Amino acid sequence: MTRIDGRAANELRNVTIERGWSDQAEGSALISFGRTKVLCTASFTNGVPRWLNGKGKGWVTAEYSMLPRSTNDRMDRESVKGKIGGRTHEISRLIGRSLRAVIDTKALGENTIVIDCDVLQADGGTRTAAITGAYVALADAIEWGRSKGFIGKNAKPIIDSVAAVSVGIIDGEPLLDLAYTEDVRAETDMNVVVTGRGLFVEVQGTAEGAPFDRRELDALLDLALGGAVDLTALQVATLAP
Amino acid sequence: MTRIDGRAANELRNVTIERGWSDQAEGSALISFGRTKVLCTASFTNGVPRWLNGKGKGWVTAEYSMLPRSTNDRMDRESVKGKIGGRTHEISRLIGRSLRAVIDTKALGENTIVIDCDVLQADGGTRTAAITGAYVALADAIEWGRSKGFIGKNAKPIIDSVAAVSVGIIDGEPLLDLAYTEDVRAETDMNVVVTGRGLFVEVQGTAEGAPFDRRELDALLDLALGGAVDLTALQVATLAP
Amino acid sequence: MTRIDGRAANELRNVTIERGWSDQAEGSALISFGRTKVLCTASFTNGVPRWLNGKGKGWVTAEYSMLPRSTNDRMDRESVKGKIGGRTHEISRLIGRSLRAVIDTKALGENTIVIDCDVLQADGGTRTAAITGAYVALADAIEWGRSKGFIGKNAKPIIDSVAAVSVGIIDGEPLLDLAYTEDVRAETDMNVVVTGRGLFVEVQGTAEGAPFDRRELDALLDLALGGAVDLTALQVATLAP
Amino acid sequence: MTRIDGRAANELRNVTIERGWSDQAEGSALISFGRTKVLCTASFTNGVPRWLNGKGKGWVTAEYSMLPRSTNDRMDRESVKGKIGGRTHEISRLIGRSLRAVIDTKALGENTIVIDCDVLQADGGTRTAAITGAYVALADAIEWGRSKGFIGKNAKPIIDSVAAVSVGIIDGEPLLDLAYTEDVRAETDMNVVVTGRGLFVEVQGTAEGAPFDRRELDALLDLALGGAVDLTALQVATLAP
Amino acid sequence: MTRIDGRAANELRNVTIERGWSDQAEGSALISFGRTKVLCTASFTNGVPRWLNGKGKGWVTAEYSMLPRSTNDRMDRESVKGKIGGRTHEISRLIGRSLRAVIDTKALGENTIVIDCDVLQADGGTRTAAITGAYVALADAIEWGRSKGFIGKNAKPIIDSVAAVSVGIIDGEPLLDLAYTEDVRAETDMNVVVTGRGLFVEVQGTAEGAPFDRRELDALLDLALGGAVDLTALQVATLAP
Amino acid sequence: MTRIDGRAANELRNVTIERGWSDQAEGSALISFGRTKVLCTASFTNGVPRWLNGKGKGWVTAEYSMLPRSTNDRMDRESVKGKIGGRTHEISRLIGRSLRAVIDTKALGENTIVIDCDVLQADGGTRTAAITGAYVALADAIEWGRSKGFIGKNAKPIIDSVAAVSVGIIDGEPLLDLAYTEDVRAETDMNVVVTGRGLFVEVQGTAEGAPFDRRELDALLDLALGGAVDLTALQVATLAP
């Protein structure tokens, strides 16, 4: 099968990360997976939410949102509708869990980092792009906190890096990093979150069309782990001093 | 490791399904996984939502909710808070997708089935119990629709059965069907939705503590497939005439 | 006139109370009036809402809700609609007032009891069933609080018992405990809340069809007082050690 | 017992009705019960809500609200809180039911009348004042509809008039038309809605302090019926051509 | 051009202010601009919102609302819709800013005054009537606070008076104080808030039809300043002891 | 007085417009006023809202929003709060009115254009930047509609161009295009919307500190008209083929 943009089955789209995009946030990254563009900002606050007070731990959380015309058809704003939809909730929670999986909240100290992932343009894979970019913003916010003395000089709040990628099966063939036109045709769709050391943080596979068997699942996981290696390398290069 | 209730690692809790619990709904089941009790009702309506009009297809959707005192500590009602939380949204969507994966909406015809899964008592595994019980309610609602002439005599809207079970890793050991006290200790937590033929519909694995490797993932999938066989057998027995 | 289920005009439906239904709540009762089933749980918390702080008094409140398919036609969830309807508010307030009428909040001490009445199946008289069952749950929660030392050994927070029943006029005849099919035909509908000693806590009579006169009102009150005697006896028997 | 304003136990406060207060509404009345002032407007629309389409019947409904500083302490606006409280819902529903009890919706034809009762100043008895004033506004709106030809010349949509009054027991003594300072002291509080012919539309008695017995209930009903006679006379005089 | 009510181009409608309309509020005024009637109340509270704590300053804020049938066609209540519209927000903010412009919050001390402007009947110019009436209510609330000792005897929280008026261009002619039927025809519509000393607090001009030029803007400002002189005189007379 | 960035009193910040930023929208522009960056997209739909059906006219509307970390301190999302704040409403309405002032909706035909202005980074003047950028997005969306045949070949829906700029008085000196640090110090703050022909669409002046006199108002309007000439020239250059 030939992919619409001529990529190999195990090839990522062109991925770029513009570190420090924002003049305001303590950490930020504008990440692109092909035409998908997500602005990730990390807001550092000294102190924790009330329910964590006095436990000597920090907190990392995330919110995801799409601009109304990030998509091909304009969507109504969730602020106008007065409520957040299930998909948005689900993705915000996924990003938060993924980042917390590589954070030692004790080493972070009583500090809070809120990650905002706003999709400026969507062409498939927005949640995995968000996680991959959010890690860069988070890392910079932590260094900012260290530079201000909120985090100890030798504290290591970051245990590992984290990146994410989507994989799917189209016409029986497993493919890495689906663009939107591929995503809508996929029989099975899987988002995989992987640490820099190659361990799984999240595996979320869904049969959109036909249910899938163990062999297909294995092929998708192989593809995802391969893609994660490349994304990790890009994160490392981006964060290099 | 000995489990709190003396079960083997690959043993389900006592699972029972009370088919036809409701005098009102077209299909219903009160399912118990140990102390977890979920009331599943299926409401059959002739006709479809406007966006499906005239496409010759039916629709199946689901809503999940917990009674405020189904849990050990009382939770505020989402109706009182005026909004539905992310977890509720996520689970409602999961149940809906899982059921639709085994339904041929063309064969269903222009009919709508709404599944309500209300947790009366919660002790871990409520979403997987909900899916397993919802299938029974759904099957009965479809037969009701057939008996009323809304579904053709020879139409086969049900392609396969579907059941779900949770698995997790505690102290390095993979365990089937976690009770609440186990769930909170699990390093990794996975919900697996499987068809009667043994194919995956959903695989949702989350590293709550440490990230997991490929070998652990495989062990969890093995356990889940085994548990699903037992649940499928119970569904078949329950639905036997 | 013959009633649909053959009852006499002054006869209750079959009423049962399953005390201690819940493994989680401090007090609970699953009450049935014929096909009407309401799960009542009482959640005991040491301490009071902020506005009662330091007054040496406790607080009892209630919330009522119907499962979406407790009724013949499925209703939308109030959590999904994002707001609670007037009828729900009205009944929640009625249950709370009825219970507080038999509680000495000083003797209760600075403790809070929240009663949840969730209608699992509705066939008329859900609010009166809720009050009658809620009293049993409340009584058990208070004994739980005493056993934990939150309520003094000799304190008597319960002044009297409380039960409720509906009455109505159909085709000019006063009837006790209306089932749903009777309720929709009633010209006048009245809910009466009565203490174990036979005093009124609430009298809520509404002319659904034609306005009613003093003689009809008197007949309805007579019926209600009679039914309340039976309900009180059942409560006493249920709570017997 | 001497009442704060020197009234006899069976004496209404000074009640006035300013018919046609509004230049905009099809019917309106500014009613005062002592310092309590409620502006009632009736908005007439040709046509009915969708659920009544084609049934040849009209619809009458009501909304009640209090201005934020109608009371001694300022209350937050329900529009600012983003939801309507239980008390507001309860009273709006009561007013609507009370008015519909004296309307023949078939004779009204497919027309809708919305009654708005806005409390400009509150000193007890706002719901009963609202009902009493709303009837005047409603009657005028119906005549407006007749004058425009929306209601037939000989149609009689108004079956009877309707008025309401509060009664209560203070220090054991039954009193008519409680002012706010009396209302907060009442052991029992009852709102009674009565037609011009002296029949009951609603009887809502609540034990705020101690439960009440049959004799007390009877005394309160006597007082209410007496007060209703005076209110009916005032309505008749107000509506006289 | 002849105006519908025969006024000259630079003539206000009949403006009246009924000071102290409310028995409950610390300050109040019922203001009429022709058929436009706005009830303004000022609620004085000792203390400030949390974010102002300990700064030695007071706070003045305002809320604007329209009764549903204040207008020619009934509008839905914002409390029923569950949210406040943009226009309401805009006007509430305008009134608050206008009043704060003439208040020395240090001299006010740590006290809060909330102004409620509720439109009882609307015929154009409701926001400007609200500001003009609100000033009177505010002034009286401040004197109430002084009489209770919350404001120092010699403190001067009021720096200047403030009034507002609308102006607009119809058929090329600048007109003062537009009634509703004029307002809908206006090409340009301007609301001008002016202090007693003749300085501008707000100038809000909008081209409803054609954009306007500098000369037209100047003519409108001249008209507005003239009208403000008359309104200031009326405020002074109303507040005279 | 020297401005923080060395600008002259009548000098704009560096303004750039990146036309066609979005691959998805029918028209788009990323506009920067110094560090302020606003993404404007125009979504073209054939057809109009129901209330405009069959009138042969089109509709242009706008929504404004800020990313949570566009500002120096992170703000809560309005979607999370469940309601839109007054400031957001106010600005959305201002943008919509400003654009409609230069559109001939009859020439637009029965088409709808929704403009979304999302502030990616905020440093003062976001609403005026939004209007200026929105005009470019709108112009491109209209050409898109023409190219698709939704707008007639010779139809001229655009009557004039429109741009906006803020002006203010700091320490008595009138300044053009305030940056955030200037804005917070301004005594008077004015937003002026001007067409390409130099006519006013909106003039919104607010005394943040001291009220302002006629001479100051004139000086601000002069500055604004000068700035608008430069912005118009940039729009023309940007839209040149």
Side-chain angles (χ1 to χ4, degrees):
Chain A
M1 194 183 75
T2 314
R3 299 178 77 170
I4 195 166
D5 51 5
R7 278 188 286 154
N10 66 349
E11 193 179 345
L12 292 171
R13 286 176 286 180
N14 185 35
V15 181
T16 63
I17 303 176
E18 187 177 343
R19 181 185 177 195
W21 186 91
S22 161
D23 291 328
Q24 309 273 26
E26 286 75 33
S28 65
L30 177 61
I31 190 165
S32 304
F33 273 58
R35 300 203 311 170
T36 290
K37 296 182 188 183
V38 185
L39 178 55
C40 307
T41 58
S43 298
F44 189 105
T45 321
N46 187 230
V48 285
R50 191 178 307 188
W51 54 273
L52 260 185
N53 259 341
K55 303 202 172 164
K57 286 188 198 178
W59 183 239
V60 173
T61 187
E63 292 184 6
Y64 166 96
S65 187
M66 299 180 86
L67 292 199
R69 192 55 200 279
S70 58
T71 45
N72 194 49
D73 291 316
R74 186 179 183 275
M75 304 175 302
D76 287 339
R77 287 175 193 269
E78 293 183 323
S79 59
V80 170
K81 289 192 284 188
K83 57 182 172 185
I84 291 180
R87 180 183 173 277
T88 299
H89 263 135
E90 209 170 296
I91 298 178
S92 294
R93 287 158 54 91
L94 171 65
I95 300 171
R97 283 199 311 271
S98 297
L99 297 173
R100 286 192 295 274
V102 297
I103 291 295
D104 175 349
T105 53
K106 290 227 161 151
L108 180 57
E110 294 210 343
N111 295 298
T112 299
I113 299 176
V114 180
I115 307 288
D116 287 289
C117 298
D118 286 90
V119 178
L120 305 188
Q121 189 162 282
D123 186 29
T126 61
R127 80 186 71 186
T128 48
I131 291 168
T132 307
Y135 171 73
V136 171
L138 173 63
D140 271 347
I142 285 173
E143 286 318 302
W144 182 92
R146 196 191 304 280
S147 74
K148 296 295 176 190
F150 296 128
I151 297 178
K153 274 202 181 162
N154 301 314
K156 304 206 167 178
I158 298 186
I159 301 167
D160 201 344
S161 68
V162 67
V165 71
S166 76
V167 285
I169 298 176
I170 299 181
D171 297 342
E173 188 177 358
L175 299 175
L176 179 67
D177 185 21
L178 306 187
Y180 181 70
T181 49
E182 295 175 327
D183 191 46
V184 294
R185 291 180 50 215
E187 292 112 45
T188 293
D189 183 17
M190 185 174 290
N191 293 294
V192 185
V193 184
V194 184
T195 70
R197 289 188 188 118
L199 297 171
F200 295 110
V201 168
E202 290 269 342
V203 174
Q204 296 202 340
T206 297
E208 301 285 354
F212 51 99
D213 63 22
R214 189 69 174 267
R215 193 185 45 78
E216 290 172 312
L217 177 56
D218 284 340
L220 290 173
L221 292 170
D222 288 341
L223 268 184
L225 288 171
V229 169
D230 293 347
L231 293 171
T232 298
L234 179 62
Q235 289 175 325
V236 168
T238 301
L239 286 167
Chain B
M1 193 183 75
T2 312
R3 297 178 78 169
I4 196 167
D5 51 6
R7 278 188 286 153
N10 65 349
E11 194 180 346
L12 292 171
R13 287 176 285 180
N14 185 33
V15 180
T16 63
I17 303 177
E18 187 177 342
R19 182 186 174 194
W21 187 91
S22 162
D23 291 328
Q24 308 273 27
E26 285 74 34
S28 65
L30 177 59
I31 190 165
S32 304
F33 273 59
R35 301 203 309 169
T36 290
K37 296 183 188 182
V38 184
L39 177 55
C40 307
T41 59
S43 298
F44 189 105
T45 321
N46 185 228
V48 284
R50 191 176 308 185
W51 54 272
L52 259 186
N53 258 339
K55 303 201 173 166
K57 288 189 197 177
W59 182 240
V60 174
T61 186
E63 290 184 6
Y64 166 97
S65 186
M66 300 180 84
L67 292 198
R69 193 53 200 280
S70 59
T71 45
N72 195 47
D73 290 315
R74 184 178 184 278
M75 302 175 302
D76 287 338
R77 286 175 194 267
E78 292 183 324
S79 58
V80 170
K81 289 193 283 188
K83 58 182 173 186
I84 292 180
R87 179 182 174 278
T88 298
H89 263 136
E90 208 169 297
I91 298 177
S92 292
R93 286 156 55 89
L94 170 66
I95 299 171
R97 280 199 312 271
S98 297
L99 296 173
R100 285 191 296 273
V102 297
I103 291 295
D104 175 349
T105 53
K106 290 225 161 154
L108 180 56
E110 295 210 345
N111 295 298
T112 299
I113 300 175
V114 180
I115 308 288
D116 287 290
C117 298
D118 287 90
V119 179
L120 304 187
Q121 190 161 281
D123 186 29
T126 60
R127 78 187 73 184
T128 48
I131 291 168
T132 306
Y135 171 74
V136 171
L138 174 63
D140 272 348
I142 284 172
E143 286 318 302
W144 181 93
R146 196 191 302 282
S147 74
K148 296 295 176 190
F150 296 130
I151 296 179
K153 273 200 180 165
N154 302 313
K156 305 208 165 175
I158 299 188
I159 301 168
D160 201 345
S161 68
V162 66
V165 71
S166 76
V167 286
I169 298 175
I170 300 181
D171 298 341
E173 188 175 0
L175 299 176
L176 179 68
D177 185 23
L178 308 185
Y180 182 70
T181 48
E182 294 175 328
D183 192 47
V184 295
R185 290 181 50 214
E187 294 112 43
T188 292
D189 183 16
M190 186 173 291
N191 292 295
V192 185
V193 184
V194 183
T195 71
R197 292 192 186 115
L199 297 170
F200 295 110
V201 168
E202 289 269 344
V203 174
Q204 296 201 339
T206 297
E208 302 286 353
F212 51 101
D213 62 22
R214 188 71 173 265
R215 195 187 43 78
E216 290 171 314
L217 177 55
D218 284 338
L220 290 173
L221 293 170
D222 287 341
L223 268 184
L225 287 171
V229 169
D230 293 349
L231 293 171
T232 297
L234 179 61
Q235 288 175 327
V236 168
T238 302
L239 286 168
Chain C
M1 193 184 73
T2 314
R3 298 179 77 170
I4 196 167
D5 51 5
R7 278 188 286 154
N10 67 349
E11 193 179 345
L12 291 171
R13 285 177 286 179
N14 186 33
V15 180
T16 63
I17 303 176
E18 187 177 340
R19 180 186 177 195
W21 187 91
S22 161
D23 291 328
Q24 309 274 25
E26 285 75 34
S28 66
L30 178 60
I31 190 165
S32 303
F33 272 59
R35 300 202 311 168
T36 290
K37 296 183 188 182
V38 184
L39 178 56
C40 308
T41 58
S43 298
F44 189 105
T45 320
N46 185 230
V48 285
R50 191 176 308 185
W51 54 273
L52 260 184
N53 259 340
K55 303 201 172 165
K57 288 188 195 176
W59 182 239
V60 173
T61 186
E63 291 184 6
Y64 167 96
S65 186
M66 299 180 85
L67 291 199
R69 193 57 200 279
S70 58
T71 45
N72 195 47
D73 291 315
R74 184 179 185 275
M75 303 177 302
D76 287 338
R77 287 175 192 268
E78 293 183 323
S79 59
V80 169
K81 289 193 282 188
K83 56 183 174 186
I84 291 179
R87 179 183 174 276
T88 299
H89 262 134
E90 208 170 297
I91 298 178
S92 293
R93 286 156 54 91
L94 170 66
I95 300 170
R97 281 199 311 271
S98 297
L99 296 173
R100 286 191 297 273
V102 297
I103 291 296
D104 174 348
T105 54
K106 289 226 162 153
L108 181 57
E110 296 210 344
N111 296 298
T112 299
I113 300 176
V114 180
I115 308 289
D116 287 290
C117 298
D118 285 272
V119 178
L120 305 187
Q121 191 162 279
D123 185 30
T126 60
R127 80 188 71 186
T128 48
I131 291 167
T132 307
Y135 171 73
V136 172
L138 173 65
D140 271 347
I142 284 172
E143 284 319 300
W144 182 93
R146 196 191 303 281
S147 74
K148 297 293 175 189
F150 297 128
I151 297 178
K153 274 201 180 163
N154 301 315
K156 305 207 165 176
I158 297 186
I159 301 167
D160 201 345
S161 68
V162 67
V165 71
S166 76
V167 285
I169 297 175
I170 299 182
D171 297 341
E173 187 175 1
L175 299 175
L176 179 66
D177 185 21
L178 306 186
Y180 181 71
T181 48
E182 295 175 327
D183 191 45
V184 295
R185 291 180 51 215
E187 293 111 45
T188 292
D189 183 16
M190 186 175 290
N191 293 294
V192 185
V193 184
V194 183
T195 71
R197 289 191 188 117
L199 297 170
F200 296 110
V201 167
E202 290 268 342
V203 173
Q204 296 201 339
T206 298
E208 302 284 354
F212 51 102
D213 63 21
R214 188 68 174 268
R215 194 186 43 78
E216 291 171 313
L217 177 56
D218 284 339
L220 290 172
L221 292 170
D222 287 341
L223 268 184
L225 287 170
V229 169
D230 293 347
L231 294 171
T232 298
L234 179 61
Q235 289 175 326
V236 168
T238 302
L239 286 167
Chain D
M1 194 183 73
T2 314
R3 297 179 77 171
I4 196 166
D5 50 5
R7 279 188 286 153
N10 66 350
E11 192 180 347
L12 293 171
R13 288 176 285 180
N14 185 32
V15 180
T16 63
I17 302 177
E18 185 177 342
R19 181 186 176 194
W21 187 91
S22 163
D23 290 327
Q24 309 273 24
E26 286 74 35
S28 65
L30 176 61
I31 190 165
S32 303
F33 272 60
R35 300 203 311 170
T36 289
K37 296 183 188 182
V38 185
L39 178 56
C40 307
T41 59
S43 299
F44 189 105
T45 321
N46 185 229
V48 284
R50 192 175 309 187
W51 55 272
L52 260 186
N53 259 338
K55 303 200 172 165
K57 287 188 197 178
W59 183 239
V60 173
T61 187
E63 292 184 5
Y64 166 96
S65 186
M66 299 180 85
L67 292 200
R69 192 58 200 278
S70 58
T71 44
N72 195 47
D73 290 315
R74 185 180 183 274
M75 304 176 301
D76 287 339
R77 287 175 193 267
E78 293 182 325
S79 59
V80 169
K81 289 193 281 188
K83 55 182 175 185
I84 292 180
R87 179 183 175 278
T88 298
H89 263 136
E90 210 170 297
I91 298 177
S92 293
R93 287 156 54 89
L94 171 65
I95 299 170
R97 280 199 313 270
S98 299
L99 296 174
R100 285 191 296 273
V102 296
I103 291 295
D104 175 348
T105 54
K106 289 226 162 153
L108 180 56
E110 294 209 345
N111 296 299
T112 300
I113 300 176
V114 180
I115 308 290
D116 287 288
C117 299
D118 286 272
V119 178
L120 305 188
Q121 191 162 278
D123 185 30
T126 61
R127 79 187 73 186
T128 47
I131 291 168
T132 307
Y135 171 73
V136 172
L138 174 63
D140 271 346
I142 284 173
E143 286 317 302
W144 181 93
R146 195 192 303 282
S147 75
K148 296 293 176 190
F150 297 129
I151 296 178
K153 275 199 180 165
N154 301 314
K156 304 207 167 177
I158 298 187
I159 302 167
D160 200 345
S161 68
V162 66
V165 71
S166 77
V167 286
I169 298 175
I170 299 182
D171 297 341
E173 186 175 1
L175 299 176
L176 178 68
D177 184 22
L178 307 186
Y180 181 71
T181 48
E182 294 175 326
D183 191 47
V184 294
R185 290 180 51 214
E187 293 112 43
T188 291
D189 183 16
M190 186 173 293
N191 292 294
V192 185
V193 184
V194 184
T195 71
R197 290 190 187 115
L199 296 170
F200 295 109
V201 168
E202 291 269 343
V203 174
Q204 297 200 340
T206 298
E208 302 285 353
F212 51 101
D213 62 23
R214 189 70 174 266
R215 195 187 42 79
E216 291 172 313
L217 178 56
D218 284 338
L220 290 172
L221 292 169
D222 288 341
L223 267 184
L225 288 172
V229 168
D230 293 347
L231 294 171
T232 297
L234 178 61
Q235 289 175 325
V236 169
T238 301
L239 286 167
Chain E
M1 193 183 76
T2 313
R3 299 180 78 171
I4 197 167
D5 51 4
R7 278 188 286 153
N10 66 347
E11 192 180 346
L12 292 171
R13 287 177 285 180
N14 185 33
V15 181
T16 63
I17 303 176
E18 186 176 344
R19 182 185 176 195
W21 187 91
S22 162
D23 290 328
Q24 308 273 26
E26 285 75 33
S28 66
L30 177 60
I31 189 166
S32 304
F33 274 58
R35 301 203 310 170
T36 290
K37 296 183 188 183
V38 184
L39 177 55
C40 307
T41 59
S43 298
F44 189 106
T45 321
N46 186 229
V48 285
R50 191 177 307 186
W51 53 273
L52 259 187
N53 258 341
K55 302 201 173 165
K57 287 188 197 177
W59 182 239
V60 173
T61 186
E63 292 184 6
Y64 166 97
S65 188
M66 298 180 86
L67 292 199
R69 193 55 200 278
S70 58
T71 45
N72 195 48
D73 291 316
R74 186 181 183 273
M75 302 176 303
D76 287 339
R77 287 176 193 268
E78 293 183 323
S79 59
V80 169
K81 290 193 283 188
K83 56 183 174 185
I84 292 180
R87 180 182 173 277
T88 299
H89 262 135
E90 210 170 295
I91 298 178
S92 294
R93 287 156 54 88
L94 171 65
I95 300 171
R97 281 199 312 271
S98 297
L99 296 173
R100 286 192 296 273
V102 297
I103 291 296
D104 174 349
T105 55
K106 290 227 160 152
L108 181 57
E110 295 210 343
N111 296 299
T112 299
I113 299 175
V114 180
I115 307 288
D116 286 290
C117 298
D118 287 89
V119 179
L120 304 188
Q121 189 162 282
D123 185 29
T126 61
R127 80 188 70 187
T128 47
I131 291 168
T132 307
Y135 171 73
V136 172
L138 174 63
D140 271 347
I142 284 173
E143 285 319 301
W144 181 93
R146 196 191 304 280
S147 74
K148 296 295 177 189
F150 297 129
I151 295 178
K153 273 199 182 164
N154 300 314
K156 306 207 167 177
I158 297 186
I159 302 168
D160 200 346
S161 68
V162 65
V165 71
S166 76
V167 285
I169 298 175
I170 299 182
D171 297 342
E173 189 176 0
L175 298 175
L176 178 67
D177 184 22
L178 307 186
Y180 181 69
T181 48
E182 295 175 326
D183 191 46
V184 294
R185 290 180 53 214
E187 292 113 43
T188 291
D189 184 16
M190 187 174 290
N191 292 294
V192 185
V193 184
V194 184
T195 69
R197 288 188 189 119
L199 297 171
F200 295 110
V201 168
E202 291 268 343
V203 173
Q204 296 200 341
T206 297
E208 301 286 353
F212 50 100
D213 62 22
R214 190 70 174 268
R215 195 186 41 80
E216 290 172 313
L217 177 56
D218 283 339
L220 290 172
L221 293 170
D222 288 341
L223 269 183
L225 288 171
V229 169
D230 292 347
L231 294 171
T232 297
L234 178 62
Q235 290 174 325
V236 169
T238 302
L239 287 167
Chain F
M1 192 183 77
T2 313
R3 298 177 77 170
I4 195 167
D5 50 6
R7 278 189 286 154
N10 66 348
E11 192 179 347
L12 293 170
R13 286 177 287 180
N14 185 32
V15 180
T16 62
I17 303 177
E18 187 177 341
R19 181 187 176 194
W21 187 90
S22 161
D23 291 328
Q24 309 273 25
E26 286 73 34
S28 65
L30 177 60
I31 190 166
S32 304
F33 273 58
R35 301 203 311 171
T36 290
K37 296 182 189 184
V38 184
L39 178 55
C40 306
T41 59
S43 297
F44 190 106
T45 320
N46 186 229
V48 286
R50 193 175 307 186
W51 54 273
L52 259 187
N53 259 338
K55 303 203 173 163
K57 286 189 198 176
W59 182 239
V60 173
T61 186
E63 292 185 3
Y64 165 98
S65 187
M66 299 180 86
L67 292 199
R69 192 55 200 279
S70 58
T71 44
N72 195 48
D73 290 315
R74 186 179 183 275
M75 303 175 302
D76 287 339
R77 287 176 193 268
E78 292 183 323
S79 60
V80 169
K81 289 193 283 188
K83 57 182 172 185
I84 292 180
R87 180 183 173 276
T88 298
H89 262 135
E90 208 171 296
I91 298 178
S92 293
R93 287 157 54 90
L94 171 65
I95 300 172
R97 281 200 312 271
S98 297
L99 296 173
R100 285 192 296 274
V102 296
I103 292 295
D104 175 348
T105 55
K106 290 226 161 153
L108 181 56
E110 294 210 344
N111 296 298
T112 300
I113 300 175
V114 180
I115 307 289
D116 286 290
C117 299
D118 286 272
V119 178
L120 306 187
Q121 190 162 281
D123 185 30
T126 61
R127 80 187 69 186
T128 47
I131 291 168
T132 307
Y135 171 73
V136 172
L138 173 63
D140 271 347
I142 284 173
E143 286 317 303
W144 181 92
R146 196 191 303 279
S147 74
K148 297 294 176 190
F150 296 129
I151 296 179
K153 271 199 182 164
N154 301 314
K156 304 208 167 176
I158 299 187
I159 301 168
D160 200 345
S161 68
V162 66
V165 70
S166 76
V167 286
I169 298 175
I170 300 181
D171 297 341
E173 187 176 1
L175 298 176
L176 178 67
D177 184 23
L178 306 186
Y180 181 70
T181 47
E182 294 175 328
D183 191 47
V184 294
R185 292 180 51 214
E187 292 113 43
T188 292
D189 184 16
M190 185 174 293
N191 293 293
V192 184
V193 184
V194 183
T195 70
R197 291 192 186 115
L199 297 171
F200 295 111
V201 168
E202 289 269 344
V203 173
Q204 295 202 340
T206 297
E208 302 286 353
F212 51 101
D213 61 23
R214 188 71 174 265
R215 196 186 42 78
E216 290 171 314
L217 176 56
D218 284 338
L220 289 173
L221 292 170
D222 288 341
L223 267 183
L225 287 172
V229 169
D230 292 347
L231 294 171
T232 297
L234 179 61
Q235 289 175 325
V236 169
T238 301
L239 286 168

